[in-house]
Amino acid sequence: MEAANCSLRVKRPLLDPRFEGYKLSLEPLPCYQLELDAAVAEVKLRDDQYTLEHMHAFGMYNYLHCDAWYQDSVYYIDNLGRIMNLTVMLDTALGKPREVFRLPTDLTTYDNRLCASIHFTSPTWVTLSDGTGRLYVIGTGNRGNSPEKWEIMFNEELGNPFIIIHSISLLEGEEHSVAMLLLRIEKEELDMKGSGFYVSLEWVTVSKKKEDSKKYEITKRRVLRGKSVPHYAAIEPNGNGVMIVSYKSFKFISVDQDLEESMDEDRSEKIKVEPLYYWQQTEDDLTVTVRLPENCAKEDIQIQFLPDNINIMLKEIQVLEGKLYSSIDHESSTWTIKENDSLEISLIKKNESLTWPELVVGDKQGELVRDPAQCAAIAERLMHLTSDELNPNPDKEKPPCNAQELEECDIFFEESSSLCRFDGNTLKTTHVVNLGSNQYLFSVTVDPKEMPCFCLRHDVDALLWQPHCSKQDDMWEHIATFNALGYVQASKRDKKFFACSPDYSYAALCECLRRVFIYRQPTPMSTVLYNRKEGRHVGQVAKQQVASLETNDPILGFQATNERLFVLTTRNLFLIKVNTEN
């Protein structure tokens, strides 16, 4: 079954073409600071983790984890191996972060490790990686009750270190299972091109043994492989599929498949098939060369020339047939057998000086051979479009394009991202959306029972999309718009993390150090305000606020809830009260 090419349907009522921009508000934002007992367990990239993919996956890792099932409850892991929790009830009565679990292994003894990662699977289950390659599935009881008792239900060494990027809990009848996505960047010894690394996403399912109500074991392991770290990857709530947003496509490989076999398969795909024919052209004619089969005599060759068509038969086998790109003088066209057992066909163009991009419309079996003199002539004709000077002649009729006149927020990556949905049973791609210039911005969990939402740039705006795996024809719903935020975020050179509240009342981004920017949705004005230029009444205003943290430590984690922002640095946890109305 071929993958269906889909598109994202924008809801026009959620767009605001009259949006005028954000007004800087100087209203103070209440900010609370907590000093940590022990520093955050930050892992620096090693010298052998030098690629852009390592930086995306581990260098920009968010060390602060939000429990989507219990809002305003955040977790981090410190360098003593403790999972620390802060649950906020009242900002003015903040307690110290409390320990809820301690990793059994001493992480400081491992040289080859990644940042420890945690994902809140359900109200009572958590998946945890210690960064050394060991996976834990933990029963927490109801985390809304205090004190919590975290109990390890499954733990196993799964090879190379990984981070957990998503997990779900499945209950079918009496059988309980937990599925999770594990991300690794692994060395590809046989790859002589590119970075020498590949990205693997392992989809692991851990299920409860029927005979033992407490024992869990791995029941399924599937691996997706690609060349770029996915911006977004999540398992559907029913466990039937996976959705991935990435620059380079992923594909399933068998877990038992040897790396060398898969490399051979990749190589065989890349081996170029020899063209069926070669062709070249001048302003007046075209020459087509076809290799003749063995023992092919003159009487075995049948060629029919028509004004717009050609048909070539060799030994009663049709080699080439179809509509020519443009008309030919069929009566003057000829063919001859050359000494090297090849057939040379000469076609006279009706429309002289017309350059043909292809010989037969839609046919990809041939190869155009360009004459060096022809290439030089084309280059000379295009010379006016390029220049070593920045703008050599601004008054010229056709001034050259100057890329330096573009703003940074107008420039996108050359390679466009795609959103793919993979079926868990057939392991095939079922839906593909080419995102083009719709740059990925961030993801957020609006409803923990659903898949996480992802936010994409559309023109200058940022649009939030909620995946619905049950709706095959309309799988992604546009649920919110952050006006002009696509343009705003592109102008922030030092941005590190991006987030929005689950009720989409505001979006926020933080820089690597100190500064946090908050962009609120337009709200009605309490006073009368008029636009000076147009003289019309302004009913609502969107506010921008800036908070500066009193620290010089780098920001390691960033999470947004409806009420507040949490910012984690090496030694401090900051709370910024965003919703001050309550």
Side-chain angles (χ1 to χ4, degrees):
M1 185 177 70
E2 270 193 41
N5 282 314
C6 310
S7 58
L8 300 174
R9 296 180 193 168
V10 176
K11 290 183 181 174
R12 297 289 164 196
L14 293 180
L15 302 180
D16 182 7
R18 295 176 66 87
F19 182 73
E20 295 182 342
Y22 291 96
K23 307 287 184 267
L24 181 63
S25 169
L26 300 178
E27 292 171 27
L29 285 165
C31 186
Y32 306 91
Q33 179 177 351
L34 292 171
E35 194 170 340
L36 310 183
D37 293 336
V40 176
E42 184 186 1
V43 178
K44 299 279 173 65
L45 292 180
R46 303 188 308 271
D47 289 344
D48 59 343
Q49 296 173 323
Y50 52 81
T51 69
L52 186 61
E53 305 314 320
H54 285 98
M55 177 54 75
H56 280 160
F58 314 131
M60 297 288 282
Y61 186 72
N62 193 336
Y63 286 87
L64 189 61
H65 309 277
C66 192
D67 188 347
W69 303 91
Y70 300 98
Q71 268 225 4
D72 292 298
S73 184
V74 292
Y75 295 77
Y76 66 92
I77 300 168
D78 68 18
N79 56 16
L80 301 177
R82 302 180 300 171
I83 297 180
M84 306 296 286
N85 164 246
L86 177 73
T87 302
V88 181
M89 296 298 185
L90 191 65
D91 297 82
T92 51
L94 292 172
K96 283 267 188 187
R98 62 193 178 91
E99 179 185 337
V100 292
F101 184 78
R102 192 177 291 232
L103 288 164
T105 49
D106 180 9
L107 302 183
T108 55
T109 60
Y110 289 85
D111 293 328
N112 178 28
R113 70 181 177 103
L114 300 176
C115 28
S117 55
I118 185 169
H119 190 266
F120 297 91
T121 311
S122 78
T124 56
W125 289 90
V126 160
T127 51
L128 173 67
S129 159
D130 62 6
T132 68
R134 183 168 285 275
L135 173 69
Y136 297 88
V137 177
I138 299 171
T140 62
N142 193 323
R143 292 191 297 279
N145 300 334
S146 190
E148 302 167 28
K149 181 165 171 33
W150 288 33
E151 184 183 356
I152 298 173
M153 306 304 287
F154 168 89
N155 86 94
E156 195 169 308
E157 191 73 38
L158 295 185
N160 289 340
F162 55 84
I163 58 172
I164 300 170
I165 52 176
H166 191 241
S167 63
I168 58 162
S169 175
L170 294 163
L171 192 60
E172 292 179 15
E174 292 184 7
E175 189 171 327
H176 177 249
S177 57
V178 175
M180 61 221 92
L181 286 174
L182 317 178
L183 173 72
R184 294 184 178 92
I185 298 176
E186 301 189 274
K187 191 79 177 161
E188 190 159 34
E189 303 295 345
L190 300 172
D191 185 17
M192 299 304 168
K193 292 181 181 177
S195 67
F197 291 89
Y198 67 88
V199 178
S200 83
L201 268 181
E202 187 171 357
W203 183 359
V204 179
T205 305
V206 174
S207 303
K208 184 164 62 174
K209 281 186 174 180
K210 288 179 182 173
E211 64 273 12
D212 190 336
S213 62
K214 284 216 167 184
K215 276 277 186 184
Y216 282 75
E217 62 181 0
I218 293 176
T219 51
K220 265 187 190 175
R221 289 181 79 168
R222 291 158 284 188
V223 177
L224 285 143
R225 185 180 291 181
K227 278 289 190 181
S228 68
V229 170
H231 297 305
Y232 170 97
I235 306 169
E236 294 173 354
N238 55 18
N240 290 339
V242 169
M243 291 187 196
I244 297 175
V245 177
S246 61
Y247 273 121
K248 294 182 181 174
S249 60
F250 278 75
K251 67 175 182 179
F252 272 105
I253 62 162
S254 166
V255 173
D256 306 321
Q257 185 179 15
D258 189 70
L259 177 62
E260 195 170 333
E261 284 177 25
S262 96
M263 284 299 298
D264 289 342
E265 186 185 310
D266 287 348
R267 273 201 211 96
S268 65
E269 284 176 13
K270 290 174 187 172
I271 292 171
K272 198 174 180 184
V273 179
E274 191 177 340
L276 192 65
Y277 60 90
Y278 295 90
W279 65 289
Q280 57 189 79
Q281 61 181 317
T282 65
E283 289 193 346
D284 306 316
D285 59 22
L286 304 105
T287 304
V288 184
T289 307
V290 182
R291 183 172 290 281
L292 291 172
E294 283 185 31
N295 306 320
C296 184
K298 188 175 180 180
E299 52 271 17
D300 295 326
I301 301 171
Q302 293 176 299
I303 300 180
Q304 183 182 22
F305 297 116
L306 293 170
D308 296 306
N309 279 70
I310 189 169
N311 187 6
I312 304 172
M313 302 272 289
L314 301 178
K315 286 191 165 184
E316 298 186 354
I317 296 172
Q318 192 173 69
V319 175
L320 182 64
E321 192 274 328
K323 186 177 187 296
L324 294 163
Y325 178 77
S326 187
S327 301
I328 58 167
D329 182 350
H330 63 291
E331 292 177 352
S332 303
S333 298
T334 59
W335 62 270
T336 182
I337 298 175
K338 306 297 282 185
E339 289 177 5
N340 61 350
D341 290 332
S342 64
L343 173 69
E344 189 175 280
I345 301 162
S346 180
L347 305 175
I348 310 301
K349 292 180 180 179
K350 264 270 182 73
N351 193 350
E352 293 177 6
S353 302
L354 175 69
T355 303
W356 291 24
E358 57 185 344
L359 182 70
V360 173
V361 177
D363 185 80
K364 306 289 183 195
Q365 302 175 90
E367 184 177 302
L368 172 62
V369 179
R370 292 197 186 276
D371 180 32
Q374 214 174 1
C375 292
I378 291 170
E380 196 175 334
R381 287 207 299 271
L382 298 175
M383 191 70 92
H384 74 279
L385 296 175
T386 61
S387 173
D388 293 333
E389 299 171 54
L390 188 62
N391 196 352
N393 188 355
D395 302 321
K396 199 173 174 183
E397 191 180 328
K398 293 180 180 176
C401 172
N402 181 0
Q404 292 190 19
E405 290 176 359
L406 293 172
E407 292 189 47
E408 186 187 346
C409 43
D410 294 320
I411 299 169
F412 294 104
F413 290 98
E414 286 178 14
E415 191 171 6
S416 65
S417 313
S418 61
L419 163 61
C420 298
R421 191 253 176 198
F422 295 88
D423 187 89
N425 298 316
T426 63
L427 307 187
K428 302 284 186 192
T429 312
T430 60
H431 298 72
V432 177
V433 180
N434 182 9
L435 297 179
S437 59
N438 300 132
Q439 177 191 3
Y440 171 87
L441 300 177
F442 63 90
S443 58
V444 60
T445 303
V446 169
D447 179 355
K449 296 189 184 79
E450 295 278 352
M451 295 178 78
C453 301
F454 52 86
C455 190
L456 303 176
R457 177 176 172 174
H458 284 245
D459 195 17
V460 298
D461 295 333
L463 272 55
L464 199 61
W465 299 88
Q466 173 68 67
H468 296 293
C469 58
S470 55
K471 299 179 182 175
Q472 290 295 311
D473 298 331
D474 196 8
M475 212 170 252
W476 299 282
E477 182 190 1
H478 173 201
I479 58 170
T481 301
F482 296 102
N483 298 301
L485 206 65
Y487 193 83
V488 166
Q489 67 83 30
S491 66
K492 305 292 182 204
R493 286 177 175 269
D494 296 325
K495 67 176 180 291
K496 186 166 186 182
F497 298 118
F498 209 156
C500 77
S501 61
D503 64 359
Y504 16 95
S505 58
Y506 72 91
L509 62 87
C510 71
E511 294 183 341
C512 300
L513 287 169
R514 303 190 70 161
R515 289 203 298 178
V516 175
F517 298 87
I518 297 161
Y519 299 91
R520 297 181 182 274
Q521 293 284 22
T523 52
M525 291 289 296
S526 55
T527 57
V528 179
L529 188 69
Y530 286 91
N531 182 300
R532 287 182 184 176
K533 289 182 182 176
E534 299 175 18
R536 60 182 173 80
H537 177 245
V538 177
Q540 51 184 16
V541 164
K543 293 179 184 175
Q544 175 197 350
Q545 291 174 288
V546 184
S548 281
L549 308 178
E550 293 180 9
T551 178
N552 289 318
D553 292 335
I555 293 175
L556 300 180
F558 189 65
Q559 293 290 348
T561 66
N562 293 338
E563 297 290 323
R564 47 188 73 81
L565 276 168
F566 295 88
V567 188
L568 181 70
T569 65
T570 317
R571 293 235 164 229
N572 291 281
L573 180 60
F574 293 87
L575 278 74
I576 301 170
K577 179 81 169 161
V578 177
N579 187 352
T580 52
E581 292 175 9
N582 295 343

